[in-house]
Amino acid sequence: MDASRDTIPSHVPGKVLDWYDAHARTLPWRAPPGTAAPDPYRVWLSEVMLQQTTVAAVKDYFAKFTNRWPTVTDLAAAPDEEVMAAWAGLGYYARARNLLACAREVAVRGGIFPDTEEGLRALPGLGAYTAAAVAAIAFGRRAVVVDANVERVVTRLFALDDPLPGSRPAIRALTDTITPERRAGDFAQALMDMGATVCTTRAPRCLLCPIAADCRARAMGEPERFPVKAPKKARPTRQGRAFWIERDERVWLVRRAGKGMLGGMRALPDDGWSARADGHGEPPIAGRWESAGRVGHVFTHFALELGLSVHLGDLRCDPPMDPPGEGEWWPLDRLEEAGLPTLFAKAARLALAVPA
């Protein structure tokens, strides 16, 4: 389908910005329209947190992080394990490792973020989207910012019927044609807000949309058809097992390898399951074990069914015996402070619900 620029009126950016001035969402990391630019640290932190996560889920985490580490240099000085524990529940834990790496690089630069897309892209863990968002929102640079909400608004505006994810370069190019030279950050946030509150996935509120008269998908009478998505590939289901080993009101937790699935996080011992293979099922120590049920979790590329086995043996001996490998005995009454990933937090709740 032809989606050339000359079919989209030049007044569209102005309409979008006027709508934003009146209807911008109030968010803790934002500066209201017409006020001074927000702190780049807060913009960057929020954008990293918001990847693959909802605004509602991020608000509490953002408040916790900024209260505990109010500047990028504060975050840079934080121990890895404290940041990983504070991140627990947000998912996609590689983001937390990249967050620390980036904060430490910025701290080396005197706590000052680069103010261009190119400079931001040079920081650890900043991809094209995050660099564009920070450049536009925090520094007023003209940058093309495309998240899932923007994708939806733009594909409907132009009725782009090429399927995702292959159409993303075309979506970015089309977004570029309507991004203004001034107020690019407000324009990006306006499209985000429109996608979140008006141009929604289902039942879009076209009567409230400032550019409804210019929207080609609405003119076709089927805005919900866009964006077109390629058929999903079947997601495999892996089988694994976690192990609950308790002694003296403490549970044995291990630290997962720094790279890979849930890297660097505290967790229950498991049997080596991965995105590519089932676990081997063998417990880390000998003794009597009892099954305590199963929990499920869906990752990006696979689903996991995780069985939980509880050790019934007696580890109270002289000298005390620890399971093999590196780990720590964590107090049960402080388990929430361990920062277990959601998967292992589910398993822990299951174990604690089993009668002794």
Side-chain angles (χ1 to χ4, degrees):
M1 175 177 291
D2 177 25
S4 59
R5 182 178 184 174
D6 60 6
T7 62
I8 300 298
S10 60
H11 61 237
V12 163
K15 284 188 172 183
V16 170
L17 286 168
D18 287 345
W19 178 90
Y20 183 67
D21 289 342
H23 301 286
R25 289 182 292 178
T26 300
L27 298 173
W29 46 84
R30 267 199 192 165
T35 64
D39 179 358
Y41 169 61
R42 296 171 71 86
V43 175
W44 163 72
L45 178 62
S46 67
E47 289 296 343
V48 175
M49 287 184 167
L50 284 164
Q51 293 168 24
Q52 306 292 332
T53 314
T54 65
V55 166
V58 163
K59 284 182 178 180
D60 287 345
Y61 282 90
F62 182 83
K64 178 168 61 175
F65 265 70
T66 51
N67 286 335
R68 190 169 181 180
W69 302 296
T71 69
V72 69
T73 52
D74 293 325
L75 181 60
D80 289 37
E81 60 271 16
E82 290 186 14
V83 175
M84 298 302 289
W87 189 273
L90 266 179
Y92 300 90
Y93 295 99
R95 290 182 298 160
R97 297 193 295 274
N98 288 334
L99 190 82
L100 268 173
C102 181
R104 288 166 181 166
E105 175 62 27
V106 173
V108 168
R109 297 166 179 246
I112 305 298
F113 280 86
D115 65 357
T116 65
E117 275 189 271
E118 182 181 8
L120 289 161
R121 282 296 301 272
L123 295 174
L126 262 74
Y129 167 78
T130 305
V134 175
I137 297 169
F139 297 110
R141 300 287 188 178
R142 186 190 183 279
V144 181
V145 185
V146 184
D147 71 352
N149 283 318
V150 176
E151 282 182 349
R152 186 161 57 255
V153 174
V154 171
T155 55
R156 288 174 177 174
L157 178 62
F158 288 90
L160 180 68
D161 54 10
D162 297 335
L164 289 168
S167 61
R168 288 203 167 110
I171 294 170
R172 188 190 183 283
L174 292 171
T175 307
D176 191 9
T177 69
I178 59 172
T179 298
E181 293 294 330
R182 294 182 62 254
R183 299 187 67 189
D186 281 351
F187 182 77
Q189 292 176 113
L191 293 184
M192 294 174 191
D193 284 7
M194 285 171 57
T197 65
V198 176
C199 194
T200 48
T201 303
R202 296 181 179 83
R205 305 163 72 190
C206 296
L207 293 178
L208 301 180
C209 179
I211 53 174
D214 307 299
C215 180
R216 298 169 87 187
R218 181 172 184 258
M220 294 167 61
E222 47 182 352
E224 291 187 46
R225 186 167 77 83
F226 301 92
V228 179
K229 296 183 179 179
K232 289 186 177 180
K233 295 181 180 179
R235 179 186 281 130
T237 298
R238 302 299 182 202
Q239 305 292 326
R241 186 156 289 274
F243 303 97
W244 182 270
I245 306 170
E246 190 176 324
R247 184 185 78 190
D248 298 329
E249 298 300 316
R250 296 170 180 262
V251 63
W252 182 253
L253 299 182
V254 298
R255 178 80 63 180
R256 295 180 66 84
K259 294 184 178 180
M261 189 72 63
L262 307 179
M265 304 294 291
R266 291 190 186 96
L268 299 177
D270 66 33
D271 63 350
W273 56 268
S274 71
R276 296 180 178 84
D278 296 341
H280 51 68
E282 294 298 319
I285 59 174
R288 292 175 54 223
W289 292 87
E290 179 177 82
S291 176
R294 306 181 71 79
V295 296
H297 194 74
V298 178
F299 294 95
T300 304
H301 300 297
F302 72 104
L304 177 68
E305 292 183 357
L306 188 72
L308 177 66
S309 293
V310 175
H311 187 255
L312 300 180
D314 188 355
L315 297 180
R316 292 171 297 181
C317 54
D318 191 15
M321 182 181 72
D322 289 345
E326 185 178 347
E328 58 189 317
W329 292 105
W330 193 271
L332 292 178
D333 60 1
R334 292 177 42 226
L335 193 55
E336 289 188 1
E337 300 172 27
L340 296 177
T342 301
L343 168 67
F344 290 102
K346 290 179 185 177
R349 287 194 293 270
L350 193 62
L352 293 170
V354 176

